[in-house]
Amino acid sequence: MSLAPDPQRPPYALTIASSDSGGGAGIQADIKTMTRLGVYAGSVIVSATAQNTQGVSDVHVFPTESIRAQCDAVFEDFDIGAVKLGMLATAEAVEAVSEVLAEYDGPIVVDPVMVATSGDELLESDAIDAYDDIFAQATLVTPNADETEVLTGIVPDSPAAGQEAAEWFFERGADAVLLKGGHVATDDETVVDTLVTRETTTEFVHSRIDSEITHGSGCTLSSAIAAGLARGETLLDAVEDGIDFTHTALASPADVGRGPGSINHLAGLGGWSHD
């Protein structure tokens, strides 16, 4: 006797980013995260990186026609609950993505990826100015301290500086900014991530994890937030849940490769060998 299928209707989120051949960051981290958090993940690949736990050896950016064609294929067929933007690599790619998203009215999470954990540059310098149109479409921007300084010229190492940096993004049209505290040098044993909207400021405090295994953490956080938004969560809840998930993934990292490894997107589902 055959069984009748039982079709499910999962929420759908789209990541527009670049591939990490090592699997720890980029499109791979986004899809793992969204799937782990109960969201069906689609992807538009902007570039393919030759990358592992030790660094990035090559980047091949796809033609803008391919990027647009991928976007068109997804947008014409799926009910997209949220979009996450990751590594966009070049000004041409940034502009193409911005034009595609002009017709989309759902939440957009922008992770302005500029440098890999290994220190390799992932964004051409002339692409930075092109991001203004992307920021104008953003529901949330999730820069780390280094990215915030490059973009705004402000080091977000105090509440006043963080507010000033957030205002820079607001002037460009962003609805909210999550200023990530992991790269902020402090003597404290805690990390403070700060969500700033035009009306409120909310701090999320976690114990600092003393680890070099952070590869993929930024991609994971932004895609986790996008997954929450696709599930219908408020921005505040999506950010809180995304930070909690990323903290758990950092606390039980994956010891893979000959470099530092990557964070663990399966944390909480059972462990691997510690040998």
Side-chain angles (χ1 to χ4, degrees), residues 193-207:
D193 300 308
T194 306
L195 174 63
V196 186
T197 72
R198 297 173 188 270
E199 296 81 25
T200 62
T201 298
T202 306
E203 292 185 344
F204 303 90
V205 182
H206 279 92
S207 299

Side-chain angles (χ1 to χ4, degrees), residues 6-139:
D6 181 21
Q8 307 294 300
R9 292 294 302 271
Y12 190 104
L14 174 66
T15 169
I16 305 177
S18 297
S19 170
D20 171 3
S21 53
I27 288 282
Q28 286 81 354
D30 296 341
I31 292 175
K32 291 174 187 178
T33 299
M34 291 174 178
T35 304
R36 173 75 173 81
L37 296 177
V39 173
Y40 197 101
S43 63
V44 169
I45 302 178
V46 172
S47 70
T49 69
Q51 184 174 176
N52 56 30
T53 59
Q54 301 177 78
V56 181
S57 58
D58 185 67
V59 177
H60 173 72
V61 183
F62 290 175
T64 55
E65 293 81 3
S66 174
I67 297 170
R68 292 176 187 274
Q70 292 178 74
C71 288
D72 290 344
V74 177
F75 278 98
E76 72 184 13
D77 193 39
F78 299 95
D79 183 10
I80 300 172
V83 173
K84 173 265 170 86
L85 305 184
M87 175 186 165
L88 300 182
T90 66
E92 292 78 13
V94 172
E95 291 165 0
V97 170
S98 177
E99 290 172 6
V100 168
L101 292 178
E103 301 300 319
Y104 176 68
D105 61 1
I108 299 173
V109 179
V110 179
D111 184 13
V113 177
M114 296 181 177
V115 180
T117 302
S118 60
D120 295 288
E121 293 187 5
L122 299 176
L123 182 70
E124 293 183 358
S125 58
D126 65 349
I128 295 176
D129 290 340
Y131 259 88
D132 276 5
D133 288 340
I134 292 287
F135 294 144
Q137 299 165 305
T139 303

Side-chain angles (χ1 to χ4, degrees), residues 189-193 204-209 240 243-244 247:
E189 296 182 353
T190 58
V191 173
V192 180
D193 300 308
F204 303 90
V205 182
H206 279 92
S207 299
R208 184 177 293 275
I209 299 171
E240 183 172 19
I243 290 173
D244 287 344
H247 188 265

Side-chain angles (χ1 to χ4, degrees), residues 137-151:
Q137 299 165 305
T139 303
L140 178 70
V141 186
T142 64
N144 62 34
D146 297 332
E147 292 159 349
T148 299
E149 182 178 5
V150 170
L151 288 165

Side-chain angles (χ1 to χ4, degrees), residues 159-185:
Q163 183 63 47
E164 185 180 359
E167 292 293 340
W168 186 94
F169 289 102
F170 294 154
E171 289 170 2
R172 283 150 183 80
D175 293 336
V177 184
L178 178 63
L179 298 167
K180 297 181 290 191
H183 289 199
V184 178

